[in-house]
Amino acid sequence: MSFFLVKNRAFLQADVYELFRRMNSTMKRILVIDDHTELRQMLRRILEREGYEVVEAGDGKEGVELYRQVPADLIITDVVMPEKDGVEIIRELKRDFPDVRVIAISGGSRTLGAQYCLAAMKALGALYVLAKPFGRKELLEAVHEFLDSRAVC
């Protein structure tokens, strides 16, 4: 855990983040975890156009570390990834942060179909699941359902 001094007072990173969130409480933060760079970038563009702050992680291990440092309002995670898969991510974060909100996305694996992977995530506590490929409208409906009441255009 890192910290720094501000006017002779030590602040943890989490303290600074919470201060920032209170000052800018209208912008919701979404953590996107997926090992496919192009998909992460596409999700970032879609979500940022909707007014969300987006943070990216290229694998599950990095995603969990980022969430622990600066929690997000919502996580969108792939199920099948190196380092830590979606099942490990949701188990670990639900254990330590029971109120974490997760949308799971998957195209399946070589041995398991997308529906099986997504059913496992739903059973572990994912709020919503999307099978790849999915469209912009589907994504935004899921995100808006859990973060605000805006209608999808």
Side-chain angles (χ1 to χ4, degrees), residues 102-119:
V102 178
I103 294 175
I105 58 177
S106 182
S109 70
R110 280 184 246 145
T111 56
L112 300 173
Q115 294 308 319
Y116 178 83
C117 293
L118 294 171

Side-chain angles (χ1 to χ4, degrees), residues 28-59:
K28 302 285 185 178
R29 185 167 189 269
I30 300 173
L31 171 58
V32 176
I33 308 170
D34 198 300
D35 57 323
H36 293 100
T37 304
E38 296 82 18
L39 179 60
R40 279 196 327 271
Q41 291 171 348
M42 180 193 70
L43 293 175
R44 173 188 282 282
R45 282 191 302 273
I46 291 169
L47 296 167
E48 285 180 344
R49 283 186 197 132
E50 291 294 309
Y52 298 110
E53 175 189 356
V54 179
V55 177
E56 299 178 34
D59 62 55

